[in-house]
Amino acid sequence: MSLFEVRNLSKKFGGLNVTNDVSISLNPGDRIALIGPNGAGKTTFVNLVTGHIRPDAGVVMIAGQDVTRLSPRARVHAGLVRSFQVTRLFPEMSPEEHVAMAILQRMGKVEKAFGDYRSMPEVMAETAEILGILNLTPIARSRVSGIAYGQQRLLEIGLAMALRPKVLLLDEPAAGVPSSDTVLIERALDRLPPDLAVLMIEHDMDFVFRFAQRVVVLAAGTVIFDGTPAQVAADPQVREAYLGSYAE
Amino acid sequence: MSNDAKTMTIWQRGLRSDLIACLLIGLIAVICFYAMPSGLSLLTRIIAIMLLVLSIDLVTGYGGVATLGHAALFGAGAYAAGIAAAKFGITDPLLMLLIGTIAGAIAGFLSSLVILRGHGLSQLVLSIAVIMLAREAANKFSTWTGGSDGLSGIAPSPLLGMWRFDLWGKTSYWLAVILLLVVFLILRQIVRSPFGMLVKAIRQDPIRVSAMGAPVYWTLVKMYVISGAVAGLGGALSAVATKVVGLDALSFELSAEAVVMLVLGGTANLFGAMIGTTVFIWFEHLVSSVNPFHWLTIVGVLLVTVVLFAPRGLTGIADQLRDKFGKGGAK
Ligand SMILES: Nc1ncnc2c1ncn2[C@@H]1O[C@H](COP(=O)(O)OP(=O)(O)O)[C@@H](O)[C@H]1O
Ligand SMILES: [Mg+2]
């Protein structure tokens, strides 16, 4: 039994098959890249899996539990966490508050109506550790609306770390980040726990090759390839899907 | 002193600054008491409405829920306290306040179930529907509420058996001041707590909150219950102080005016709610005594001025000044 299993997932928007009978499974420690041209349905796949969109058919299982009908929130509690392609953060809050809130949620204390997280040593210690790993300590108390986009992307990863998921879905974690800063994102991903299963959507093939042991290619909602990074560049179907743009 | 500050936790430091704020509010209350002995009933009314505006700040300023029907919760408290006294002989003022608070919390719970179904404009429309239905119900059940004549026959017994509700409204005034301080302290705790932070996050991006595994809907329902308790207390206070409850306590006008007071003062810091209420009612009182025909026009001009030149309200101006001149204050 896999840690995370998606079976025969399908979704139509209007007449368009955006997700077409997609099956993927992940084991603990997996590092998988999901690639495919723009509009292939990668983000929709993530939305279906996390419960932000309802699938027409298919099953999503986490550690043997069928979560297909659960709310996004319940799936987080089952161990499934995602990041967003376009950063979704709370503009008026600081990185410290973001990470602390995620930790409080994980500890089951986020609804406490008394006390201040800054007076909770265990929350503060972990928050400081995560912000330190991400090099966000200097701006820990700035408003997120005022920090650089690359730092916001790092904070998205920080939120995922704070939730300690079993399965992490990263939707283009480096999108919009200047190439000089992608190394920071890569370094942050290197610090993720080794037994965590990660599926990352990414366009930069050099990054994909460094990160993933396995690559899944999606084109027009269909999985057209599932194999090692070494094989993917040579696959004729993949070449065609990309019209040669990534194939060397 | 500075040594103490170092060993205090951040929570304790926050509490200390809240207590200092309470002292200041208390001081202002004492000054007002001696400066205008004949204006105590106006001041008491201001405090009762302040509780309503604070309660709107909780759901709108912090939670981002659009509502033009919040007087329903205030009215629920006012009628519950009034009916308890006039029809059931429960005249102990503290008991009346408790009944009003509970009624407000229940009304908050029920109306949240309706209002939180919508988003944006539809939310606003639902909230207006809530206040209209509430008013219609109060009108219909006139044997209980007195209908459009209002509910009279409310005669609260002396506070703690010691202080009679005198003609000058001294007892009501001090009762109101103490209630305000207690509510203020409790609400400061709540908005700074993890729960308060969660509510603020929901206003900014509810989808992000659910993707973090935190509850969105029930968090807002809870905030609505707390908000309803505060508004209900305000309504009950007004019933105790004025000894009548009228349909105006359940009006769309009151709901809308209270939102205006909040915007005037500034949202999501509690101080704005208190300052906005004071300035608005004071201004209304002054202008309507000088020119009873055009006070609405003048109030309108005031509002346009504030919204254009200080979109974050009067407390927003203070924030801007503080940002400009350096000092990052504790907030
Ligand atoms: N909510 C939606 N309603 C209708 N069509 C959508 C919706 N979301 C995505 N699509 C369409 O589905 C296709 C896949 O989009 P998406 O999953 O964002 O692709 P990718 O992330 O691979 O670039 C696109 O053609 C897009 O226009
Ligand atoms: Mg996408």
Side-chain angles (χ1 to χ4, degrees):
Chain A
M1 184 184 68
S2 310
L3 170 63
F4 173 66
E5 197 169 346
V6 175
R7 279 202 303 263
N8 311 109
L9 202 64
S10 291
K11 178 75 186 177
K12 275 188 190 177
F13 283 131
L16 188 69
N17 262 323
V18 181
T19 306
N20 188 12
D21 204 26
V22 172
S23 299
I24 292 180
S25 68
L26 273 74
N27 290 310
D30 274 356
R31 294 288 184 274
I32 295 185
L34 177 65
I35 66 171
N38 266 328
K42 304 181 296 295
T43 297
T44 303
F45 172 76
V46 171
N47 284 331
L48 290 171
V49 164
T50 56
H52 288 92
I53 301 178
R54 294 237 161 268
D56 298 333
V59 176
V60 180
M61 312 268 291
I62 302 165
Q65 182 193 0
D66 184 346
V67 299
T68 319
R69 253 156 278 281
L70 298 186
S71 67
R73 179 178 167 232
R75 297 184 203 209
V76 176
H77 290 263
L80 177 67
V81 168
R82 69 172 298 179
S83 74
F84 290 89
Q85 178 174 352
V86 178
T87 309
R88 293 193 89 125
L89 296 166
F90 311 114
E92 295 168 23
M93 289 167 57
S94 67
E96 182 186 279
E97 288 174 309
H98 279 78
V99 174
M101 197 160 85
I103 293 168
L104 287 163
Q105 192 288 115
R106 191 193 79 224
M107 292 176 164
K109 293 182 183 166
V110 77
E111 293 176 81
K112 265 185 67 169
F114 187 78
D116 188 320
Y117 76 89
R118 289 171 297 179
S119 300
M120 302 176 190
E122 69 289 4
V123 174
M124 283 308 274
E126 196 182 329
T127 303
E129 190 194 329
I130 290 175
L131 292 174
I133 290 173
L134 302 172
N135 284 334
L136 295 177
T137 311
I139 49 131
R141 300 216 165 148
S142 311
R143 271 169 168 249
V144 158
S145 59
I147 70 176
Y149 193 70
Q151 293 172 317
Q152 296 186 15
R153 298 307 284 167
L154 286 168
L155 183 54
E156 280 263 355
I157 297 170
L159 285 182
M161 287 175 157
L163 295 168
R164 293 200 190 151
K166 298 189 185 103
V167 180
L168 177 58
L169 310 176
L170 296 166
D171 195 352
E172 303 199 26
V177 177
S179 52
S180 56
D181 287 354
T182 50
V183 59
L184 290 173
I185 304 230
E186 278 198 62
R187 215 154 59 200
L189 297 184
D190 282 344
R191 301 287 298 265
L192 291 171
D195 60 340
L196 172 67
V198 186
L199 180 141
M200 177 178 76
I201 298 173
E202 180 52 56
H203 280 301
D204 178 350
M205 291 308 280
D206 292 328
F207 187 2
V208 165
F209 286 153
R210 282 192 297 271
F211 173 83
Q213 320 124 353
R214 204 176 116 204
V215 179
V216 176
V217 183
L218 204 61
T222 309
V223 174
I224 58 164
F225 176 90
D226 188 338
T228 66
Q231 296 163 339
V232 70
D235 189 274
Q237 252 191 310
V238 176
R239 277 171 182 269
E240 196 185 326
Y242 276 105
L243 296 169
S245 57
Y246 287 119
E248 281 152 65
Chain B
M1 183 92 185
S2 65
N3 244 345
D4 284 355
K6 266 178 210 155
T7 55
M8 282 165 101
T9 66
I10 289 185
W11 177 80
Q12 286 166 331
R13 259 185 272 168
L15 185 62
R16 187 182 60 174
S17 64
D18 292 347
L19 288 171
I20 292 171
C22 278
L23 273 179
L24 272 175
I25 297 170
L27 192 67
I28 294 170
V30 171
I31 292 171
C32 289
F33 180 78
Y34 287 108
M36 33 191 189
S38 62
L40 293 183
S41 64
L42 175 69
L43 291 168
T44 305
R45 178 178 152 72
I46 289 178
I47 294 177
I49 302 295
M50 232 180 233
L51 293 174
L52 169 62
V53 178
L54 281 168
S55 92
I56 298 178
D57 201 11
L58 295 180
V59 294
T60 304
Y62 287 92
V65 179
T67 173
L68 281 171
H70 223 65
L73 319 186
F74 181 88
Y79 274 109
I83 290 170
K87 310 282 179 192
F88 294 96
I90 300 174
T91 54
D92 181 81
L94 294 181
L95 212 49
M96 288 170 66
L97 293 171
L98 180 67
I99 290 170
T101 305
I102 293 170
I106 294 171
F109 176 72
L110 294 177
S111 60
S112 77
L113 298 184
V114 177
I115 290 169
L116 294 176
R117 291 282 147 216
H119 295 280
L121 262 185
S122 64
Q123 198 164 62
L124 218 51
V125 170
L126 286 172
S127 72
I128 295 171
V130 164
I131 186 70
M132 292 188 161
L133 289 173
R135 186 194 175 89
E136 206 36 51
N139 204 12
K140 198 106 193 156
F141 298 104
S142 54
T143 35
W144 289 98
T145 63
S148 52
D149 296 336
L151 178 67
S152 52
I154 303 168
S157 53
L159 182 61
L160 297 171
M162 284 189 276
W163 293 285
R164 300 168 54 80
F165 285 89
D166 53 297
L167 219 56
W168 296 103
K170 286 184 193 169
T171 306
S172 301
Y173 177 68
W174 289 117
L175 176 63
V177 170
I178 290 166
L179 289 177
L180 177 68
L181 293 179
V182 171
V183 167
F184 172 78
L185 274 182
I186 294 174
L187 294 189
R188 288 290 284 181
Q189 284 299 325
I190 292 175
V191 299
R192 269 206 304 260
S193 69
F195 174 78
M197 191 159 73
L198 179 59
V199 171
K200 283 183 243 177
I202 290 172
R203 182 191 66 220
Q204 296 170 64
D205 191 342
I207 292 182
R208 211 332 156 196
V209 170
S210 69
M212 285 169 71
V216 172
Y217 182 75
W218 290 107
T219 303
L220 289 179
V221 171
K222 278 184 204 167
M223 196 51 144
Y224 239 102
V225 171
I226 296 169
S227 168
V230 174
L233 179 65
L237 171 65
S238 110
V240 168
T242 61
K243 304 185 177 75
V244 289
V245 180
L247 284 177
D248 56 330
L250 274 178
S251 65
F252 171 76
E253 286 80 357
L254 179 58
S255 304
E257 274 184 3
V259 170
V260 167
M261 295 177 208
L262 178 60
V263 172
L264 176 66
T267 58
N269 60 38
L270 302 184
F271 290 101
M274 297 192 281
I275 293 169
T277 311
T278 312
V279 171
F280 185 96
I281 298 184
W282 202 275
F283 201 73
E284 176 187 312
H285 180 74
L286 277 182
V287 176
S288 62
S289 58
V290 174
N291 186 336
F293 299 107
H294 290 116
W295 80 267
L296 266 176
T297 318
I298 297 171
V299 169
V301 170
L302 169 83
L303 285 176
V304 171
T305 313
V306 169
V307 172
L308 287 184
F309 294 101
R312 283 162 55 213
L314 297 172
T315 51
I317 298 177
D319 279 349
Q320 273 168 359
L321 289 176
R322 199 179 56 199
D323 288 351
K324 200 163 176 175
F325 298 108
K327 307 240 172 175
K331 196 181 155 186

